[in-house]
Amino acid sequence: MTTPTKKRRRILIGVGGGIAAYKVCSVIRHFTESGHDVRVVPTPAALEFVGKATFEALSGNPVSTTVFDDVDEVAHVRLGQGADLVIIAPATADLMARAAQGRADDLLTASLLTVRCPVLFVPAMHTEMWEHPATQANIATLREHGSTVMTPASGRLTATDSGRGRLPDPQEIALIGELLLDRADALPYDLAGVRVLISAGGTREPLDPVRYLGNHSSGKQGFALARAAAQRGASVTVVAGSTTDPGDPAGVHIVRISNAQELSEEMTKRAADADVVIMAAAVADFRPVAVADAKIKKGDQGPAPIELTTNPDILRGLVEARDDGRIPSETVIVGFAAETGDETGGVLDHGRAKLARKGCDLLVVNAVGDGKAFGTEDNTGWLLSAKGDETALPFGSKTLMSSRILDEVRQLVPDGPGA
Ligand SMILES: Cc1cc2nc3c(=O)[nH]c(=O)nc-3n(C[C@H](O)[C@H](O)[C@H](O)COP(=O)(O)O)c2cc1C
C-alpha cells in the first residue's frame, strides 16, 4: 500500500478511543514508509485500546496525550501549527463532539485548534451512534469548519453487530490522506443528494466454461471516482466488472457483473435513477458468437477460429436513451476513452472524434499501452467537453484525477455552480 515519496511532509495522526484504533497502525505505517514525519497523538481513551509503545515504535516519535508533557516546547500549539495534514482515526462520537465545540481538554483537541492544514476525520462507531442527530450535527459543524469527514463503510462492527459505521479500509484512508496532501480542496462536500452511477473494471466475454476474452483494466480509476464522489457526499453505485483494486470504496453500493451485455443491462436500468453516469469501465467491443458448453479441446487441426460479434455501445446507448426520454434529459453523461495513437491521428485526435461520435457531455481521454493507465496508481490525460473545452489533467494519483473530473461534473449538475 506504500506509494513512493514525493516530498517529506508532517503528518499528525490523532487516534480516538474506539475499537478500530488497532487498524490505524497500518495508516501510521503507510505514512512513515512513504518517508513522511509522523506524529501520533492519541486520546487517553485510545491508549486503552493500543499501547503508547506501539505508536512510538511505528512513528519513530514520542507520544503524549496531555498538554502538560514537553511544556518547554509548547507542544499543544507547535504540533498543530507544524502539521501539513491531520488525520483523526478512529474519530469517535465523543472526539468529534469535542472537536466541533472547540474544546481543548487533551493534547489532540488542543492541537486541532491550532492547525491550518487539511483535517480528515475518519469516523468509526456503532450505527446508532453514527445516525444520532447529535453526531450528525457535529459532523455538519466540522464540515462547516473546513474539515473533511469521511463516509464510513458498512460491515462488521464490534462484537456481533454489523451495519454502517465501520472504519474504512486503512488503504482507503491513506489514499484520501494522500489526496488532501496533493490538493487541500479536493473533497468539498458539494455532491450531497446527487446520485452517481459509475461503471468500473474490465469485462470478460466467455469462450467456454474456463476461458474468456478480457482486458487489462484494474478498475482503479472507476473506484477512485466512486471514492471521491462518495466522500463529496454523493450517493454512489458502481457496476463493476473484473477489478484488482484491493478494497471496495467505503459507503459505495457495488453491483458485480461479468460481461459487456450484463454491464449494458445494469447501466441502462440504473441510469434512469441517476443524476450523473460515468462510464469508466473498459468494455469489450466484441464477444464470441458462440459460447461452448464444454471446454474447447486443443484438437489435431490446431485452434478452431473464434468468430466474434459486436457488443452493444453502452455509452452511445445511454446518450440515445437520454435523447428519446427514457432517462431524464438533465442526466450528466461522462465517457472515458483509452486511446493509442496510430497513423490516422494522436490520442487527443481520437478522443475528439469519439466525443463527437458518442454525444456525451464530458470525455476523459487517456493514453494507454506501454504500462500507461491500466493497473497503475497514477494517470494523466485530458478532459474534453461537448461545449469544446479541453482541459489537461496533470499527472497524479487516480484519486486526484477523479477530484478534477468531479469538479467539472459538479458544474453540469442541475443547481450546480455552473448550471
Ligand atoms: C470496547 C469499546 C469499544 C468502543 N468503540 C467505540 C467506537 O468504535 N466508536 C466510538 O465512538 N466510541 C467507542 N467507544 C466509546 C469510547 O471509548 C468513549 O466514548 C470514549 O470516551 C472516547 O474517548 P475519546 O473520544 O476521547 O477517544 C468504545 C468503548 C469501548 C469500551
Side-chain angles (χ1 to χ4, degrees):
M1 85 189 237
T2 306
T3 49
T5 309
K6 292 166 214 159
K7 186 177 161 204
R8 185 173 166 83
R9 313 293 285 276
R10 287 160 302 184
I11 319 291
L12 196 161
I13 300 188
V15 186
I19 192 78
Y22 73 96
K23 294 186 188 168
V24 175
C25 296
S26 305
V27 180
I28 298 167
R29 183 157 224 152
H30 167 89
F31 284 101
T32 51
E33 287 185 356
S34 300
H36 298 298
D37 178 20
V38 178
R39 291 298 300 256
V40 181
V41 184
T43 63
L47 296 186
E48 298 284 335
F49 294 86
V50 177
K52 186 173 158 180
T54 301
F55 293 137
E56 290 191 333
L58 285 175
S59 67
N61 273 315
V63 166
S64 168
T65 61
T66 163
V67 296
F68 299 109
D69 284 342
D70 305 316
V71 173
D72 56 324
E73 291 173 16
V74 227
H76 73 286
V77 176
R78 297 283 176 262
L79 279 175
Q81 282 177 335
D84 295 306
L85 171 70
V86 176
I87 299 177
I88 311 287
T92 58
D94 173 69
L95 184 47
M96 289 195 293
R98 291 192 288 126
Q101 283 178 23
R103 303 263 306 257
D105 44 9
D106 59 18
L107 181 58
L108 178 54
T109 47
S111 300
L112 282 175
L113 293 180
T114 61
V115 297
R116 296 294 178 266
C117 63
V119 178
L120 175 65
F121 285 87
V122 192
M125 63 198 70
H126 261 72
T127 311
E128 295 84 348
M129 292 176 89
W130 168 255
E131 289 175 347
H132 196 283
T135 304
Q136 291 302 315
N138 290 329
I139 289 169
T141 303
L142 292 171
R143 286 189 174 128
E144 272 167 34
H145 294 173
S147 298
T148 301
V149 183
M150 273 186 86
T151 297
S154 294
R156 187 76 190 270
L157 304 168
T158 316
T160 56
D161 295 342
S162 65
R164 188 93 185 265
R166 188 177 155 86
L167 191 85
D169 199 82
Q171 184 165 15
E172 182 158 31
I173 300 171
L175 278 174
I176 297 291
E178 295 278 2
L179 172 64
L180 293 175
L181 276 178
D182 283 338
R183 191 181 169 211
D185 62 350
L187 293 174
Y189 199 70
D190 60 354
L191 292 176
V194 177
R195 299 162 302 170
V196 178
L197 175 66
I198 300 172
S199 70
T203 57
R204 292 178 170 182
E205 307 303 317
L207 274 165
D208 67 16
V210 291
R211 303 183 182 93
Y212 58 82
L213 300 177
N215 59 59
H216 292 297
S217 173
S218 62
K220 285 177 194 281
Q221 184 65 66
F223 274 17
L225 277 160
R227 221 166 246 135
Q231 298 309 334
R232 286 170 79 148
S235 158
V236 184
T237 298
V238 175
V239 181
S242 62
T243 59
T244 54
D245 199 282
D248 289 351
V252 169
H253 176 52
I254 310 266
V255 179
R256 289 279 170 189
I257 54 88
S258 175
N259 59 49
Q261 281 176 298
E262 290 169 7
L263 181 64
S264 176
E265 282 160 25
E266 286 294 342
M267 292 302 286
T268 310
K269 181 176 77 185
R270 292 171 186 277
D273 297 319
D275 303 301
V276 178
V277 182
I278 305 178
M279 277 293 301
V283 188
D285 289 326
F286 311 104
R287 68 176 184 278
V289 169
V291 182
D293 293 335
K295 185 182 171 196
I296 300 168
K297 298 285 183 293
K298 203 182 278 174
D300 297 335
Q301 308 302 315
I306 299 168
E307 202 188 331
L308 299 176
T309 185
T310 306
N311 270 329
D313 183 337
I314 305 175
L315 182 56
R316 182 68 208 144
L318 289 167
V319 173
E320 284 169 3
R322 184 176 64 177
D323 291 346
D324 64 25
R326 280 175 287 138
I327 64 176
S329 58
E330 58 276 9
T331 310
V332 178
I333 301 178
V334 184
F336 266 71
E339 299 287 350
T340 54
D342 58 21
E343 63 286 350
T344 66
V347 169
L348 200 46
D349 300 318
H350 289 305
R352 289 181 189 124
K354 182 168 178 177
L355 178 63
R357 255 190 345 266
K358 304 286 180 179
C360 51
D361 302 297
L362 294 170
L363 188 78
V364 183
V365 183
N366 348 94
V368 290
D370 298 331
K372 288 193 226 98
F374 279 136
T376 60
E377 300 302 328
D378 298 310
N379 208 351
T380 179
W382 295 268
L383 188 57
L384 312 185
S385 86
K387 288 187 291 178
D389 298 332
E390 296 189 358
T391 313
L393 296 165
F395 184 80
S397 73
K398 288 182 172 171
T399 324
L400 178 64
M401 185 154 149
S402 299
S403 77
R404 298 200 186 280
I405 295 167
L406 292 173
D407 288 348
E408 295 299 321
V409 167
R410 183 69 191 99
Q411 301 283 326
L412 300 178
V413 173
D415 92 4

